[in-house]
Amino acid sequence: MSLINVTVDGQSRSIESDQRPTQIFAENKEIVVCTINGALKDLWTDLSDGDVVTSVSISSPEGLAVLRHSTAHVMAQAVQQVFADTKLGIGPPITDGFYYDFDPQNPFNPDDLEKIETAMRKIVKEGQRFKRRVTTESDALKELSHEPYKCELIGIKGGGTDETSVEVGGTELTIYDNLGRDGQPVWSDLCRGPHLPSTKHIPAFKLMRSAAAYWRGSEKNPMLQRIYGTAWPSQDELTAYLELLAEAEKRDHRRLGQELDLFSFPEEIGSGLAVFHPKGGIIRRAMEDYSRKRHEEEEYEFVYSPHLTKAALFEKSGHLDWYSEGMYPPMIMDEELHADGTIKRAGQQYYMKPMNCPFHNLIFQSRQRSYRELPLRLFEFGTVYRYEKSGVLHGITRARGFTQDDAHIYCTKEQMAGELDSLLTFVLNLLRDYGLADFYLELSTRNPEKSVGEDSDWNEATEALREAAMKQGLELVLDDGGAAFYGPKISVQAKDAIGRTWQMSTIQVDFQLPQRFDLEFAAADGSKQRPVMIHRALFGSIERFFGVLTEHYSGAFPPWLAPVQVMGIPVAEAFNDHLVKVINAMKAAGIRADIDLSDDRMQKKVRNAQMQKIPYMLIAGEEDVNSNAVSFRYRNGDQKNGVPIADAIAEILATIAERRQV
């Protein structure tokens, strides 16, 4: 057998010409896929002289995606074993799992998922090999003539995007056969791959749920059944993930919002449009008030803009070109008709605003500006409306109407670096004040094929963002080519109490809107110059941040945010008057305090306060009355007795002022 020379994980090696990566990495069971000359490939791929091979472990992002996509194939095979007439859609990997769309005779139910999971375990145990096979469009259409959705995908080969790219979209059309122990195909699926060497490389998986989904995400297409699942490199990792999901379920802001009487989504209003109840309103007001205070300290100027505008504004900004699918349909206003119903005067199109930035540009443009006014920092709690598809709505963290804490900074090029540095410091410190402290930063850079502006401007802005990020001493992750077409961006990724990552604040340099709006300022030499425009959203939206904090704290907000900070609980009715005086003194000091004077037993009153996650319970009995004191019962169950009233008020006020958790 002849030898060929290859490079494996940086080391030159001579191997037999028929040797494959699966044999090269046979001793390391963690390696489930590889790259060959930079392209992700199966371990069964043939090698040629001079190839550069790099191992990919099952725990890496690429390895996890291959594991989950392979598990989706096993699920599809199992579905067709259990429900023979089911037609196949697509089955891509997604964050933490996978899904596959099916067209069954009847919708799936939980018992069906158990049957499918049992069939999957048998397939995994058999150790079926995934074998790639190149085919032609005509042959594939014949072979898959019984699969109408697959045939539709074949028709778009070369143009597959997003989820469909796991099936088609490459330079070749391929089918993967699952081979039984005799080496013969037992099941096949249209797929680009790559896949695991065999089903035995699937260590741990679980089917999660089924749901309805339109074929290829379009409401014009048939409704299919989607089964979601998850797969992990070990049973321990799967168990940890399921425990995380269980904890996340306990913290779900939608459930807590109802239990704590914070907000709701009345059917009469519509999907994705929340109303905040009094207790939710207190939390939201506290969030907003503190944000306003901090913005005033940083010399922001507060502005307000209407909720809708003539179409011409969004034509000028470009939103109708770039963002119309995310906007509500226009309203026709000021139309006048003749008596016979014909149009006397054409009406104007008005849109609900999806963004605040065009309005702020009009404020900047309202009069001549001087370099002496810059940097000009405009800030608004601006409510916007975006027509999100119903399938992606998720409580107040993904809504159709929400309020952005939106700021736009106008500065000179010379001021840009310093402004970005101070902006990022301000953003991170303010997030820390609300209790988030575990961050990393993401820098989104230019995509040359999808961007506007001069290279020099992009380079200067990107480097200024990079330097500002490096000064924070945080991990910086590069999102190469991920910037919007109008400028680079830094986004703050924050981890919550159970380790989930949420995108929070964004800071983005914009080269496009100042040109579109012809923004100018008078420079020191008398010339007219274009300002740099920086977009900055700290919370993203008030509603989304509210939801994140609700889940981060599991509804047990720190005292400064809690709607009720203190609940008075008398041991018996005889001590009511004493505790009423204490609670009134606390109210006079600005503490949000209440007293439970119901007929419930004291133990139930304590339980009710705990269920409402109130930070402080003040209990008063005979000893407390005699010594003009109260007893503290903290949210975690700890208790401190005989606290003088003045000391009790001082302790609570200090905790609120310092924004500490108890």
Side-chain angles (χ1 to χ4, degrees), residues 479-529:
D479 176 25
D480 193 21
F485 72 94
Y486 50 82
K489 177 180 72 174
I490 282 279
S491 60
V492 178
Q493 310 288 334
K495 287 186 179 180
D496 66 11
I498 59 174
R500 296 171 301 177
T501 299
W502 301 83
Q503 179 173 304
M504 289 283 100
S505 313
T506 57
I507 298 173
Q508 191 157 13
V509 180
D510 188 347
F511 302 123
Q512 182 72 3
L513 284 183
Q515 295 181 34
R516 281 183 165 264
F517 282 81
D518 195 25
L519 302 184
E520 293 181 337
F521 67 91
D525 62 3
S527 64
K528 298 292 186 182
Q529 294 188 17

Short mmCIF file of all heavy atoms in Angstrom, two decimals, residues 479-529:
data_model
loop_
_atom_site.label_atom_id
_atom_site.label_comp_id
_atom_site.label_asym_id
_atom_site.label_seq_id
_atom_site.Cartn_x
_atom_site.Cartn_y
_atom_site.Cartn_z
N ASP A 479 -16.82 38.91 16.93
CA ASP A 479 -17.91 38.53 16.04
C ASP A 479 -17.53 39.05 14.66
O ASP A 479 -17.99 40.10 14.22
CB ASP A 479 -19.22 39.12 16.54
CG ASP A 479 -20.40 38.84 15.60
OD1 ASP A 479 -20.33 37.85 14.86
OD2 ASP A 479 -21.37 39.63 15.62
N ASP A 480 -16.67 38.30 13.99
CA ASP A 480 -16.07 38.76 12.73
C ASP A 480 -17.14 38.89 11.64
O ASP A 480 -17.84 37.93 11.32
CB ASP A 480 -14.99 37.78 12.29
CG ASP A 480 -14.12 38.35 11.18
OD1 ASP A 480 -14.07 39.58 11.03
OD2 ASP A 480 -13.50 37.56 10.44
N GLY A 481 -17.27 40.10 11.09
CA GLY A 481 -18.24 40.33 10.03
C GLY A 481 -19.67 40.45 10.51
O GLY A 481 -20.60 40.49 9.72
N GLY A 482 -19.88 40.53 11.83
CA GLY A 482 -21.23 40.52 12.38
C GLY A 482 -21.85 41.89 12.58
O GLY A 482 -22.98 41.98 13.07
N ALA A 483 -21.13 42.95 12.21
CA ALA A 483 -21.68 44.30 12.41
C ALA A 483 -22.81 44.58 11.44
O ALA A 483 -22.90 43.98 10.36
CB ALA A 483 -20.58 45.34 12.23
N ALA A 484 -23.70 45.49 11.83
CA ALA A 484 -24.69 45.99 10.89
C ALA A 484 -23.96 46.77 9.80
O ALA A 484 -22.80 47.15 9.95
CB ALA A 484 -25.69 46.88 11.61
N PHE A 485 -24.64 47.02 8.70
CA PHE A 485 -23.97 47.62 7.55
C PHE A 485 -23.47 49.03 7.83
O PHE A 485 -22.62 49.55 7.13
CB PHE A 485 -24.92 47.65 6.34
CG PHE A 485 -26.03 48.64 6.46
CD1 PHE A 485 -25.89 49.91 5.93
CD2 PHE A 485 -27.20 48.31 7.12
CE1 PHE A 485 -26.91 50.84 6.06
CE2 PHE A 485 -28.21 49.24 7.25
CZ PHE A 485 -28.07 50.49 6.72
N TYR A 486 -23.98 49.68 8.91
CA TYR A 486 -23.66 51.10 9.11
C TYR A 486 -22.59 51.36 10.16
O TYR A 486 -22.24 52.50 10.39
CB TYR A 486 -24.92 51.90 9.45
CG TYR A 486 -25.78 51.32 10.54
CD1 TYR A 486 -25.49 51.53 11.88
CD2 TYR A 486 -26.90 50.57 10.23
CE1 TYR A 486 -26.29 51.02 12.88
CE2 TYR A 486 -27.72 50.05 11.21
CZ TYR A 486 -27.40 50.27 12.55
OH TYR A 486 -28.20 49.76 13.53
N GLY A 487 -22.03 50.32 10.82
CA GLY A 487 -20.96 50.59 11.76
C GLY A 487 -20.70 49.44 12.72
O GLY A 487 -21.56 48.58 12.92
N PRO A 488 -19.50 49.40 13.33
CA PRO A 488 -19.15 48.33 14.28
C PRO A 488 -19.88 48.48 15.60
O PRO A 488 -20.44 49.55 15.90
CB PRO A 488 -17.64 48.52 14.46
CG PRO A 488 -17.41 49.98 14.22
CD PRO A 488 -18.40 50.37 13.16
N LYS A 489 -19.85 47.41 16.40
CA LYS A 489 -20.66 47.39 17.62
C LYS A 489 -19.97 46.61 18.72
O LYS A 489 -19.30 45.61 18.47
CB LYS A 489 -22.03 46.75 17.33
CG LYS A 489 -22.94 46.60 18.53
CD LYS A 489 -24.28 45.96 18.15
CE LYS A 489 -24.14 44.49 17.82
NZ LYS A 489 -25.45 43.84 17.59
N ILE A 490 -20.13 47.08 19.96
CA ILE A 490 -19.79 46.31 21.16
C ILE A 490 -21.10 45.94 21.84
O ILE A 490 -21.97 46.79 22.04
CB ILE A 490 -18.93 47.13 22.14
CG1 ILE A 490 -17.48 47.18 21.69
CG2 ILE A 490 -19.00 46.54 23.54
CD1 ILE A 490 -16.66 45.95 22.04
N SER A 491 -21.26 44.67 22.18
CA SER A 491 -22.42 44.26 22.96
C SER A 491 -21.95 43.64 24.27
O SER A 491 -20.94 42.94 24.30
CB SER A 491 -23.30 43.28 22.18
OG SER A 491 -22.58 42.11 21.85
N VAL A 492 -22.68 43.92 25.33
CA VAL A 492 -22.37 43.39 26.65
C VAL A 492 -23.20 42.13 26.87
O VAL A 492 -24.43 42.18 26.82
CB VAL A 492 -22.69 44.42 27.76
CG1 VAL A 492 -22.41 43.82 29.13
CG2 VAL A 492 -21.88 45.69 27.55
N GLN A 493 -22.54 41.01 27.08
CA GLN A 493 -23.20 39.75 27.36
C GLN A 493 -23.10 39.49 28.86
O GLN A 493 -21.99 39.39 29.40
CB GLN A 493 -22.53 38.62 26.58
CG GLN A 493 -22.34 38.90 25.09
CD GLN A 493 -23.63 38.87 24.31
OE1 GLN A 493 -24.57 38.20 24.70
NE2 GLN A 493 -23.69 39.57 23.19
N ALA A 494 -24.25 39.41 29.53
CA ALA A 494 -24.28 39.27 30.99
C ALA A 494 -24.83 37.90 31.37
O ALA A 494 -25.80 37.43 30.78
CB ALA A 494 -25.13 40.37 31.61
N LYS A 495 -24.19 37.29 32.39
CA LYS A 495 -24.68 36.01 32.91
C LYS A 495 -25.57 36.26 34.12
O LYS A 495 -25.26 37.09 34.98
CB LYS A 495 -23.52 35.10 33.29
CG LYS A 495 -22.77 34.53 32.08
CD LYS A 495 -21.73 33.52 32.52
CE LYS A 495 -21.01 32.93 31.30
NZ LYS A 495 -19.98 31.94 31.71
N ASP A 496 -26.67 35.51 34.19
CA ASP A 496 -27.55 35.65 35.34
C ASP A 496 -27.16 34.67 36.44
O ASP A 496 -26.13 33.99 36.36
CB ASP A 496 -29.02 35.48 34.92
CG ASP A 496 -29.36 34.07 34.43
OD1 ASP A 496 -28.53 33.15 34.61
OD2 ASP A 496 -30.46 33.89 33.87
N ALA A 497 -28.00 34.57 37.47
CA ALA A 497 -27.67 33.79 38.67
C ALA A 497 -27.50 32.31 38.39
O ALA A 497 -26.82 31.61 39.16
CB ALA A 497 -28.74 34.00 39.73
N ILE A 498 -28.09 31.80 37.31
CA ILE A 498 -27.94 30.37 37.01
C ILE A 498 -27.08 30.13 35.77
O ILE A 498 -27.10 29.04 35.20
CB ILE A 498 -29.32 29.68 36.88
CG1 ILE A 498 -30.17 30.31 35.78
CG2 ILE A 498 -30.05 29.69 38.20
CD1 ILE A 498 -31.48 29.56 35.52
N GLY A 499 -26.32 31.16 35.37
CA GLY A 499 -25.32 30.97 34.34
C GLY A 499 -25.77 31.17 32.91
O GLY A 499 -24.98 30.96 31.98
N ARG A 500 -27.02 31.58 32.70
CA ARG A 500 -27.47 31.84 31.33
C ARG A 500 -26.96 33.21 30.87
O ARG A 500 -26.86 34.14 31.66
CB ARG A 500 -28.99 31.81 31.26
CG ARG A 500 -29.60 30.47 31.58
CD ARG A 500 -31.11 30.57 31.69
NE ARG A 500 -31.50 31.52 32.72
CZ ARG A 500 -32.77 31.85 32.97
NH1 ARG A 500 -33.74 31.34 32.26
NH2 ARG A 500 -33.05 32.72 33.93
N THR A 501 -26.66 33.31 29.58
CA THR A 501 -26.14 34.55 29.03
C THR A 501 -27.25 35.33 28.33
O THR A 501 -28.00 34.77 27.53
CB THR A 501 -25.00 34.26 28.04
OG1 THR A 501 -23.93 33.60 28.73
CG2 THR A 501 -24.46 35.55 27.44
N TRP A 502 -27.31 36.62 28.64
CA TRP A 502 -28.28 37.52 28.01
C TRP A 502 -27.52 38.67 27.36
O TRP A 502 -26.62 39.23 27.97
CB TRP A 502 -29.23 38.11 29.05
CG TRP A 502 -30.01 37.12 29.84
CD1 TRP A 502 -29.60 36.44 30.95
CD2 TRP A 502 -31.36 36.70 29.61
NE1 TRP A 502 -30.60 35.64 31.43
CE2 TRP A 502 -31.69 35.78 30.62
CE3 TRP A 502 -32.32 37.03 28.64
CZ2 TRP A 502 -32.95 35.17 30.69
CZ3 TRP A 502 -33.58 36.43 28.72
CH2 TRP A 502 -33.88 35.51 29.73
N GLN A 503 -27.88 39.01 26.13
CA GLN A 503 -27.30 40.21 25.54
C GLN A 503 -28.00 41.42 26.15
O GLN A 503 -29.21 41.56 26.10
CB GLN A 503 -27.46 40.25 24.03
CG GLN A 503 -26.88 41.54 23.43
CD GLN A 503 -26.86 41.53 21.91
OE1 GLN A 503 -26.31 40.64 21.29
NE2 GLN A 503 -27.49 42.55 21.32
N MET A 504 -27.18 42.28 26.74
CA MET A 504 -27.72 43.47 27.40
C MET A 504 -27.44 44.71 26.55
O MET A 504 -27.99 44.88 25.50
CB MET A 504 -27.09 43.60 28.80
CG MET A 504 -27.56 42.55 29.80
SD MET A 504 -29.21 42.88 30.45
CE MET A 504 -30.23 41.78 29.47
N SER A 505 -26.52 45.51 27.00
CA SER A 505 -26.28 46.80 26.37
C SER A 505 -25.54 46.66 25.03
O SER A 505 -24.77 45.73 24.83
CB SER A 505 -25.44 47.67 27.31
OG SER A 505 -25.97 47.64 28.61
N THR A 506 -25.80 47.61 24.16
CA THR A 506 -25.07 47.69 22.89
C THR A 506 -24.58 49.12 22.69
O THR A 506 -25.27 50.09 23.05
CB THR A 506 -25.95 47.28 21.70
OG1 THR A 506 -27.12 48.11 21.66
CG2 THR A 506 -26.38 45.83 21.81
N ILE A 507 -23.40 49.23 22.11
CA ILE A 507 -22.82 50.52 21.75
C ILE A 507 -22.40 50.41 20.30
O ILE A 507 -21.57 49.56 19.96
CB ILE A 507 -21.62 50.88 22.64
CG1 ILE A 507 -22.05 50.99 24.11
CG2 ILE A 507 -20.96 52.17 22.18
CD1 ILE A 507 -20.90 51.17 25.06
N GLN A 508 -22.96 51.25 19.44
CA GLN A 508 -22.76 51.08 18.01
C GLN A 508 -22.45 52.42 17.34
O GLN A 508 -23.12 53.42 17.59
CB GLN A 508 -24.01 50.48 17.39
CG GLN A 508 -23.82 50.01 15.96
CD GLN A 508 -24.84 48.95 15.60
OE1 GLN A 508 -25.82 48.74 16.30
NE2 GLN A 508 -24.62 48.26 14.51
N VAL A 509 -21.42 52.42 16.53
CA VAL A 509 -21.04 53.61 15.76
C VAL A 509 -21.80 53.58 14.43
O VAL A 509 -21.88 52.55 13.77
CB VAL A 509 -19.52 53.64 15.52
CG1 VAL A 509 -19.15 54.88 14.71
CG2 VAL A 509 -18.77 53.62 16.84
N ASP A 510 -22.36 54.71 14.04
CA ASP A 510 -23.20 54.79 12.84
C ASP A 510 -22.61 55.80 11.86
O ASP A 510 -22.49 56.99 12.17
CB ASP A 510 -24.62 55.20 13.24
CG ASP A 510 -25.61 55.11 12.09
OD1 ASP A 510 -25.18 54.97 10.94
OD2 ASP A 510 -26.82 55.18 12.36
N PHE A 511 -22.25 55.32 10.66
CA PHE A 511 -21.74 56.21 9.62
C PHE A 511 -22.85 56.60 8.64
O PHE A 511 -22.65 57.47 7.80
CB PHE A 511 -20.64 55.52 8.82
CG PHE A 511 -19.48 55.06 9.66
CD1 PHE A 511 -19.09 53.73 9.66
CD2 PHE A 511 -18.78 55.96 10.46
CE1 PHE A 511 -18.02 53.31 10.44
CE2 PHE A 511 -17.72 55.54 11.23
CZ PHE A 511 -17.34 54.22 11.22
N GLN A 512 -24.00 55.93 8.71
CA GLN A 512 -25.03 56.09 7.70
C GLN A 512 -26.02 57.21 8.00
O GLN A 512 -26.26 58.08 7.18
CB GLN A 512 -25.77 54.76 7.53
CG GLN A 512 -26.84 54.75 6.46
CD GLN A 512 -26.27 54.76 5.05
OE1 GLN A 512 -25.07 54.72 4.87
NE2 GLN A 512 -27.14 54.81 4.06
N LEU A 513 -26.61 57.20 9.20
CA LEU A 513 -27.67 58.16 9.49
C LEU A 513 -27.20 59.62 9.47
O LEU A 513 -27.95 60.49 8.99
CB LEU A 513 -28.34 57.83 10.82
CG LEU A 513 -29.31 56.64 10.80
CD1 LEU A 513 -29.96 56.45 12.16
CD2 LEU A 513 -30.37 56.80 9.73
N PRO A 514 -26.00 59.96 9.98
CA PRO A 514 -25.57 61.36 9.86
C PRO A 514 -25.53 61.85 8.41
O PRO A 514 -25.80 63.03 8.14
CB PRO A 514 -24.18 61.37 10.49
CG PRO A 514 -24.22 60.24 11.47
CD PRO A 514 -25.04 59.18 10.80
N GLN A 515 -25.21 60.94 7.49
CA GLN A 515 -25.20 61.33 6.08
C GLN A 515 -26.62 61.44 5.54
O GLN A 515 -26.95 62.40 4.84
CB GLN A 515 -24.42 60.30 5.26
CG GLN A 515 -22.94 60.24 5.60
CD GLN A 515 -22.20 59.23 4.75
OE1 GLN A 515 -22.53 59.03 3.58
NE2 GLN A 515 -21.21 58.59 5.33
N ARG A 516 -27.46 60.46 5.87
CA ARG A 516 -28.83 60.48 5.37
C ARG A 516 -29.59 61.72 5.84
O ARG A 516 -30.44 62.25 5.12
CB ARG A 516 -29.57 59.21 5.80
CG ARG A 516 -29.25 57.99 4.96
CD ARG A 516 -30.07 56.79 5.38
NE ARG A 516 -30.02 55.76 4.36
CZ ARG A 516 -30.92 55.58 3.41
NH1 ARG A 516 -31.98 56.38 3.35
NH2 ARG A 516 -30.80 54.62 2.52
N PHE A 517 -29.31 62.16 7.05
CA PHE A 517 -29.99 63.33 7.60
C PHE A 517 -29.18 64.61 7.42
O PHE A 517 -29.59 65.67 7.88
CB PHE A 517 -30.30 63.11 9.08
CG PHE A 517 -31.48 62.22 9.33
CD1 PHE A 517 -31.35 60.85 9.27
CD2 PHE A 517 -32.73 62.76 9.59
CE1 PHE A 517 -32.45 60.01 9.49
CE2 PHE A 517 -33.83 61.95 9.80
CZ PHE A 517 -33.69 60.56 9.75
N ASP A 518 -28.04 64.48 6.76
CA ASP A 518 -27.18 65.64 6.48
C ASP A 518 -26.91 66.43 7.77
O ASP A 518 -27.04 67.66 7.82
CB ASP A 518 -27.84 66.55 5.44
CG ASP A 518 -26.84 67.55 4.84
OD1 ASP A 518 -25.62 67.24 4.87
OD2 ASP A 518 -27.27 68.60 4.36
N LEU A 519 -26.51 65.71 8.81
CA LEU A 519 -26.22 66.35 10.09
C LEU A 519 -24.88 67.07 10.02
O LEU A 519 -23.90 66.52 9.51
CB LEU A 519 -26.20 65.31 11.22
CG LEU A 519 -27.48 64.49 11.41
CD1 LEU A 519 -27.34 63.58 12.63
CD2 LEU A 519 -28.71 65.39 11.56
N GLU A 520 -24.86 68.27 10.57
CA GLU A 520 -23.64 69.07 10.54
C GLU A 520 -23.49 69.86 11.83
O GLU A 520 -24.47 70.13 12.52
CB GLU A 520 -23.67 70.06 9.36
CG GLU A 520 -23.61 69.42 7.98
CD GLU A 520 -23.62 70.48 6.88
OE1 GLU A 520 -24.11 71.61 7.15
OE2 GLU A 520 -23.17 70.17 5.77
N PHE A 521 -22.25 70.23 12.11
CA PHE A 521 -21.99 71.18 13.19
C PHE A 521 -20.90 72.14 12.71
O PHE A 521 -20.12 71.82 11.80
CB PHE A 521 -21.56 70.47 14.48
CG PHE A 521 -20.23 69.77 14.40
CD1 PHE A 521 -19.05 70.42 14.74
CD2 PHE A 521 -20.16 68.44 13.98
CE1 PHE A 521 -17.83 69.78 14.67
CE2 PHE A 521 -18.94 67.78 13.91
CZ PHE A 521 -17.78 68.45 14.25
N ALA A 522 -20.88 73.32 13.29
CA ALA A 522 -19.86 74.31 12.94
C ALA A 522 -18.60 74.02 13.73
O ALA A 522 -18.61 74.04 14.96
CB ALA A 522 -20.37 75.72 13.24
N ALA A 523 -17.50 73.73 13.03
CA ALA A 523 -16.23 73.42 13.67
C ALA A 523 -15.55 74.71 14.13
O ALA A 523 -15.99 75.83 13.81
CB ALA A 523 -15.34 72.64 12.72
N ALA A 524 -14.45 74.54 14.86
CA ALA A 524 -13.74 75.70 15.41
C ALA A 524 -13.22 76.62 14.31
O ALA A 524 -13.11 77.84 14.50
CB ALA A 524 -12.59 75.23 16.30
N ASP A 525 -12.89 76.04 13.14
CA ASP A 525 -12.37 76.85 12.04
C ASP A 525 -13.47 77.43 11.17
O ASP A 525 -13.21 78.03 10.13
CB ASP A 525 -11.40 76.03 11.19
CG ASP A 525 -12.07 74.82 10.54
OD1 ASP A 525 -13.31 74.65 10.72
OD2 ASP A 525 -11.36 74.03 9.88
N GLY A 526 -14.73 77.23 11.57
CA GLY A 526 -15.85 77.78 10.82
C GLY A 526 -16.41 76.86 9.77
O GLY A 526 -17.46 77.14 9.18
N SER A 527 -15.73 75.74 9.52
CA SER A 527 -16.20 74.80 8.50
C SER A 527 -17.37 73.97 9.03
O SER A 527 -17.58 73.85 10.23
CB SER A 527 -15.07 73.87 8.07
OG SER A 527 -14.65 73.05 9.15
N LYS A 528 -18.13 73.40 8.09
CA LYS A 528 -19.22 72.50 8.44
C LYS A 528 -18.68 71.06 8.44
O LYS A 528 -18.08 70.63 7.46
CB LYS A 528 -20.37 72.61 7.44
CG LYS A 528 -21.01 74.00 7.40
CD LYS A 528 -21.74 74.32 8.70
CE LYS A 528 -22.50 75.64 8.59
NZ LYS A 528 -23.19 75.99 9.84
N GLN A 529 -18.90 70.36 9.52
CA GLN A 529 -18.40 68.99 9.62
C GLN A 529 -19.52 68.05 10.06
O GLN A 529 -20.50 68.45 10.68
CB GLN A 529 -17.24 68.91 10.60
CG GLN A 529 -16.00 69.67 10.13
CD GLN A 529 -14.79 69.43 11.02
OE1 GLN A 529 -14.76 68.47 11.79
NE2 GLN A 529 -13.80 70.29 10.91
#
